[in-house]
Amino acid sequence: MNGTSFQSDIRFWLRQGNTVNHLLLWNIVIFLGINLMYLISPGTAFAWTFDQIALHSLPAVFIRKPWGLISYMFTHVEFFHVLFNLINLYWFGNLFRDFLGNKRVLPLYLMGGIAGGLLYLLSYMLIFPGLESTMIGASASVMCMLVACATLMPNYEIGLLFLGNVKLKWLALGLIVLGVISIPRGNVGGIIAHMGGSLFGFFYIRSLQSGTDLCKPLIWLFDAETRRERKRTQTRSKPKKSPLKVVKKPDDNNQLRLDQLLDKINEKGYNSLSAEEKAWLDKVSKEN
């Protein structure tokens, strides 16, 4: 067997341009690294590292370690915790990606995790003031992905072991209800974070359907092509001034908008268009 085959497989896996694969890899690497540290030095190095990357409920501690609001959503210690989260991230992350494009995957993962983390912090400050707790895990981000998919495609069916085909809306609702009724039995912070991620997933799709993309700033930040596209659009929409007065034909504006929508469809898919954009495109196509 070729000794580099495993490395080649990993490189090929990451070069597919699928952000879900990168998120899976980072979660696995951190899980293996922190557990290896636990085997080597459970009382010192592991404890210090866990304290640095977990999300702390006490405001005084959180202020000193604010990066925990990001690092916690990539961190797992228990095997079944990481296994369950990554299986669901693979399923629903790729489903979300298929319908709304790759560029929105990382921003939604981060914002869903941040929403869950902030609700966790707020709940401890209001309900359990002074109680020290820590939280890790990608559950809030994963629930955000699941609820976003269920809001976008409520009647989409997936096959579940022992249950058969289940519509996404019932799966999401069932997991949320199970989380709420299990709050009195423990893991209060984690379940509250799940609710925060779920709420953000729901409102994200609703705002997207109304024409507002809450992930747009992060898409612009992470994706160089989006920045270049925006620069090209600004350049085309703001031509250089000329000493000659040019009278534009009415069709010029229509052609510019048509070009922009076709570019958008080519890059993000037809489903990325708003209802108004789809109606306008349909009208133009019939006129031509």
Side-chain angles (χ1 to χ4, degrees):
M1 180 182 292
N2 187 346
T4 61
S5 61
F6 179 74
Q7 295 178 1
S8 299
D9 289 343
I10 293 294
R11 290 195 200 98
F12 174 76
W13 190 55
L14 294 176
R15 287 174 180 171
Q16 292 177 4
N18 187 340
T19 301
V20 176
N21 291 348
H22 291 261
L23 290 172
L24 292 171
L25 180 66
W26 277 110
N27 276 276
I28 292 170
V29 167
I30 294 173
F31 168 75
L32 294 176
I34 199 168
N35 276 278
L36 181 61
M37 192 174 295
Y38 181 80
L39 290 174
I40 296 172
S41 180
T44 54
F46 169 81
W48 182 87
T49 303
F50 182 89
D51 187 64
Q52 296 300 313
I53 59 180
L55 179 60
H56 293 263
S57 64
L58 288 178
V61 181
F62 172 71
I63 290 173
R64 297 199 307 268
K65 303 169 185 177
W67 55 82
L69 190 59
I70 302 296
S71 58
Y72 93 93
M73 68 183 79
F74 294 92
T75 306
H76 302 81
V77 174
E78 300 294 333
F79 174 75
F80 286 106
H81 188 198
V82 70
L83 179 65
F84 181 80
N85 277 340
L86 296 194
I87 288 175
N88 284 286
L89 175 59
Y90 177 80
W91 285 344
F92 301 113
N94 279 300
L95 186 62
F96 177 86
R97 177 179 180 269
D98 289 342
F99 282 87
L100 289 175
N102 188 65
K103 293 180 180 180
R104 290 188 173 96
V105 173
L106 178 58
L108 187 67
Y109 181 96
L110 292 175
M111 295 188 75
I114 290 173
L118 291 177
L119 189 60
Y120 163 81
L121 292 171
L122 182 63
S123 65
Y124 267 82
M125 284 190 288
L126 297 179
I127 305 173
F128 313 107
L131 181 63
E132 184 174 8
S133 176
T134 56
M135 181 175 68
I136 58 172
S139 301
S141 299
V142 171
M143 284 298 298
C144 180
M145 291 280 187
L146 168 57
V147 173
C149 290
T151 306
L152 181 66
M153 306 162 285
N155 295 317
Y156 187 93
E157 294 186 350
I158 62 171
L160 295 180
L161 188 64
F162 304 125
L163 295 177
N165 291 338
V166 178
K167 291 182 179 180
L168 279 179
K169 61 183 179 182
W170 301 125
L171 176 61
L173 181 61
L175 290 176
I176 291 172
V177 171
L178 286 174
V180 171
I181 64 177
S182 64
I183 286 178
R185 292 193 291 273
N187 192 23
V188 177
I191 295 169
I192 289 174
H194 296 180
M195 299 302 106
S198 300
L199 286 171
F200 187 84
F202 174 79
F203 285 113
Y204 174 72
I205 296 299
R206 285 288 182 254
S207 67
L208 192 63
Q209 290 171 334
S210 66
T212 302
D213 191 343
L214 298 176
C215 287
K216 191 173 182 178
L218 290 183
I219 294 173
W220 180 88
L221 178 64
F222 295 141
D223 190 78
E225 180 58 33
T226 299
R227 295 194 294 273
R228 287 194 292 269
E229 178 187 352
R230 183 176 180 181
K231 189 174 181 180
R232 287 196 300 267
T233 302
Q234 290 174 342
T235 302
R236 284 186 295 186
S237 60
K238 296 180 180 180
K240 294 181 179 179
K241 292 182 180 180
S242 169
L244 299 176
K245 184 177 181 181
V246 179
V247 178
K248 289 188 176 181
K249 297 179 181 179
D251 289 344
D252 288 348
N253 290 330
N254 286 344
Q255 185 61 47
L256 175 61
R257 189 179 185 191
L258 179 61
D259 291 341
Q260 292 172 344
L261 292 183
L262 291 177
D263 288 343
K264 186 175 181 181
I265 293 172
N266 183 55
E267 183 178 351
K268 303 177 183 177
Y270 181 76
N271 286 326
S272 65
L273 299 181
S274 66
E276 186 272 333
E277 289 172 334
K278 291 178 181 177
W280 186 88
L281 191 61
D282 183 60
K283 178 183 176 183
V284 171
S285 65
K286 289 179 180 178
E287 290 175 353
N288 294 333

